[in-house]
Amino acid sequence: MFAAVVESLQDRLDNTQLVLLATVAAIAIIFLYGQWRNPNARSHYPHVGVELKRILFKGARQRQDWFKHGPELIHNSFKKFPNSIFTLPSLDRTSIVLPPRFLQEIRDLPGTIGSNSHATSDFFIGNWTTLDYDIFNHSTIDAIKTQYIAKIGQQIGPASNEAQYAFIKHFGRYEDWTPIAAQPKILELVTQIVARTIVGPDICRNPEWVHAAIGYAQNVFMGAVTFKLVPDFARPLAAVFTPYLYRIHRCRRIIRELVRPVADQKMAFRRDQPEAWEAHVKSGDMTTLEWLLETSKPEHTTVPIMAHRLTGVSFGAAHTTTNTITNALMDLANNFERWAPPLREEIDSVLGDDTTELTNATLSKMWKLDSFLKESQRFHPPSKLSVNRKMMKNHTLSSGDVLPKNAHISFPGVPMSMTEPYISGQPEEFDGFRFERLRRNPETDHNGLQFTSSYAGSLHFGHGRYMCPGRFMGGLISKLLVIEFLRRYDLKLQPGGRPKNIMFFDMDVPDPKYEILFRDRKN
């Protein structure tokens, strides 16, 4: 009977109608399948956001509202529910925001219950954009922790040398006030410095690496935004009609081919000269590529897998550090006469005329610089939400509240950092040396007051055992470059003052097109 119906339809419909019918049927099947296997958890906690009375296209309109007003919604919801659990209208995942009283409890959760790596991958729709969980697996994290935490002192020399080499390629002499779109230049500079520690001096100076690493990150970001704005069932169609996935894979191919000869050489060195390799490991003068050889299982020491993970390391380091530096420069330029003289005095008193002998110890003496970066980050962090976890199983809090499996949980990091008692002394006013004064006050609890440390009023690198493992390297590069800018230039903003950052979803990024005014230092 079914065959007879099909033959009857074929007699009555032309080819165009058949194609249209097939397309509609395919979309319907994809939709039903997506609804059936929707992995998002269901939250019974209050939902915040604009109430949409009309059902038609409700999901699309909620996505649009979350896209446009996410940061504002997070701030307002925390003011309204400071001690309550609430749910955000983040339709690509179930996003549950916890009040501060649960911070210590979530901090201590093992990754088998609440996973930071899975949360990051899901945020960037990693199963489509290639920023999957494997890119942040234990081998990658162990390599980063060894290189950028345990051996951070040995990264200062290579990073400083590369900064000196690359800086003059991107920033020149400016006798009069000159408008410069600083963010794209800083991004290339930071990407090259980071690559010096990831893959070594030869590859990091190859423009192909810099452009591919930046291109990968930008297209992952744009691809994730695109996929967040469409329903799950429509993602296969979005993947076909957007250019970002094609560009992501093109950048990955370039990176893989650049890494191949160096990776093959290092693997041969490790295999053929085990004693020399062991001495090399003990020296600590290793790139991330080399540390990955040490931390990875033998079956994972292949060029495609290692290139994949190195791409993730570059992704995690370059853009966040670039935005930290760009925000700091804009905050400096916003009141240069107030902030620059004390910072320059501190830099000169610690370093003198010689910047070639920078060490971790010398940088740690610059309390004002450290404080300024932390205050700038407090006002302009990469995200309004902090301490992100994906629940790998149901978990009951001490209050009896249940966090469902597959839910994404977080804390309102920025609203907390703008509110007493987490920040004292006019928390909504920018005070570049706020944390330096707190550190000098013997009656203050000093925990969490440094740029790379955390407490309830400063959660922007995360909190606890799963804090960003690359934060020390990011802080190091930020300080190196801000020192260089202060020693070379005077800065000011265009008329109108400090521009607002671009904000969407829960994200906060400086406008890459904004031009800061640069002039060669006059005194």
Side-chain angles (χ1 to χ4, degrees), residues 134 137 139-140 143 259-260 262-268 270-271 277 288-310:
D134 181 67
N137 81 347
S139 300
T140 309
V259 166
R260 186 179 300 280
V262 177
D264 287 341
Q265 180 188 26
K266 299 298 182 183
M267 286 188 281
R270 185 170 184 261
R271 181 185 64 247
W277 175 263
T288 312
L289 169 59
E290 292 170 314
W291 282 116
L292 273 176
L293 285 174
E294 281 293 290
T295 60
S296 299
K297 296 178 181 178
E299 62 268 25
H300 292 164
T301 55
T302 65
V303 171
I305 291 176
M306 296 186 61
H308 179 56
R309 293 174 181 174
L310 292 171

Side-chain angles (χ1 to χ4, degrees), residues 88-350:
L88 292 169
S90 163
L91 299 187
D92 62 300
R93 64 196 192 283
T94 300
S95 183
I96 298 172
V97 180
L98 303 178
R101 70 177 185 274
F102 294 115
L103 183 60
Q104 188 66 32
E105 197 170 335
I106 297 302
R107 164 191 164 151
D108 295 333
L109 281 183
T112 54
I113 298 176
S115 170
N116 178 57
S117 296
H118 279 92
T120 302
S121 179
D122 282 4
F123 180 84
F124 289 102
I125 321 295
N127 57 329
W128 285 98
T129 63
T130 76
L131 203 73
D132 53 28
Y133 171 65
D134 181 67
I135 213 168
F136 301 113
N137 81 347
H138 293 298
S139 300
T140 309
I141 300 301
D142 288 346
I144 295 171
K145 285 182 176 180
T146 303
Q147 184 179 12
Y148 294 149
I149 298 180
K151 305 287 185 181
I152 186 63
Q154 291 169 276
Q155 306 306 314
I156 293 179
S160 178
N161 292 339
E162 200 61 36
Q164 295 283 341
Y165 170 83
F167 193 94
I168 57 176
K169 293 171 58 180
H170 298 283
F171 293 91
R173 301 291 302 275
Y174 311 110
E175 293 184 6
D176 295 316
W177 289 111
T178 304
I180 302 292
Q183 195 269 357
K185 290 177 175 288
I186 295 171
L187 178 57
E188 291 193 2
L189 181 55
V190 170
T191 300
Q192 182 171 332
I193 297 170
V194 169
R196 171 62 181 82
T197 68
I198 292 176
V199 288
D202 296 330
I203 297 179
C204 81
R205 295 179 181 180
N206 187 329
E208 280 193 288
W209 171 277
V210 174
H211 295 152
I214 292 173
Y216 174 80
Q218 290 175 336
N219 284 287
V220 164
F221 186 82
M222 292 305 299
V225 169
T226 300
F227 287 125
K228 286 173 183 288
L229 290 173
V230 301
D232 291 352
F233 74 86
R235 286 178 181 173
L237 295 175
V240 173
F241 292 108
T242 59
Y244 307 117
L245 296 191
Y246 302 106
R247 294 172 184 170
I248 287 169
H249 288 289
R250 183 174 68 242
C251 292
R252 282 165 52 86
R253 283 194 299 271
I254 293 170
I255 289 170
R256 188 165 56 246
E257 292 312 307
L258 289 172
V259 166
R260 186 179 300 280
V262 177
D264 287 341
Q265 180 188 26
K266 299 298 182 183
M267 286 188 281
F269 176 27
R270 185 170 184 261
R271 181 185 64 247
D272 299 337
Q273 303 178 59
E275 292 183 0
W277 175 263
E278 188 65 27
H280 182 51
V281 172
K282 288 181 179 179
S283 75
D285 186 18
M286 303 255 287
T287 63
T288 312
L289 169 59
E290 292 170 314
W291 282 116
L292 273 176
L293 285 174
E294 281 293 290
T295 60
S296 299
K297 296 178 181 178
E299 62 268 25
H300 292 164
T301 55
T302 65
V303 171
I305 291 176
M306 296 186 61
H308 179 56
R309 293 174 181 174
L310 292 171
T311 304
V313 176
S314 178
F315 174 90
H319 276 74
T320 51
T321 304
T322 294
N323 291 343
T324 295
I325 297 166
T326 304
N327 280 316
L329 291 186
M330 288 198 285
D331 291 329
L332 263 174
N334 193 38
N335 198 344
F336 197 75
E337 293 73 18
R338 178 182 179 185
W339 305 121
L343 287 170
R344 284 171 168 169
E345 181 181 354
E346 178 181 71
I347 292 166
D348 291 342
S349 68
V350 173

Side-chain angles (χ1 to χ4, degrees), residues 172 244 262 321 353 440 488 522:
Y244 307 117
V262 177
T321 304
D353 296 328
R440 294 194 187 282
R488 289 174 179 265
K522 295 300 183 184

Side-chain angles (χ1 to χ4, degrees), residues 35-51:
Q35 293 296 103
W36 172 69
R37 68 174 303 276
N38 183 2
N40 289 346
R42 294 190 180 277
S43 172
H44 61 274
Y45 300 107
H47 286 68
V48 298
V50 177
E51 290 294 331

Side-chain angles (χ1 to χ4, degrees), residues 398-458:
S398 57
S399 61
D401 294 295
V402 177
L403 302 177
K405 180 181 178 180
N406 289 330
H408 283 243
I409 63 168
S410 60
F411 291 84
V414 170
M416 287 169 63
S417 74
M418 293 288 177
T419 308
E420 295 199 48
Y422 310 107
I423 291 287
S424 58
Q426 298 178 305
E428 294 189 1
E429 177 183 326
F430 185 93
D431 181 352
F433 303 142
R434 177 190 304 274
F435 294 99
E436 184 252 354
R437 289 197 308 276
L438 289 171
R439 288 175 69 184
R440 294 194 187 282
N441 184 348
E443 299 179 0
T444 301
D445 181 358
H446 291 181
N447 289 325
L449 298 181
Q450 297 184 54
F451 178 59
T452 53
S453 59
S454 70
Y455 72 109
S458 180

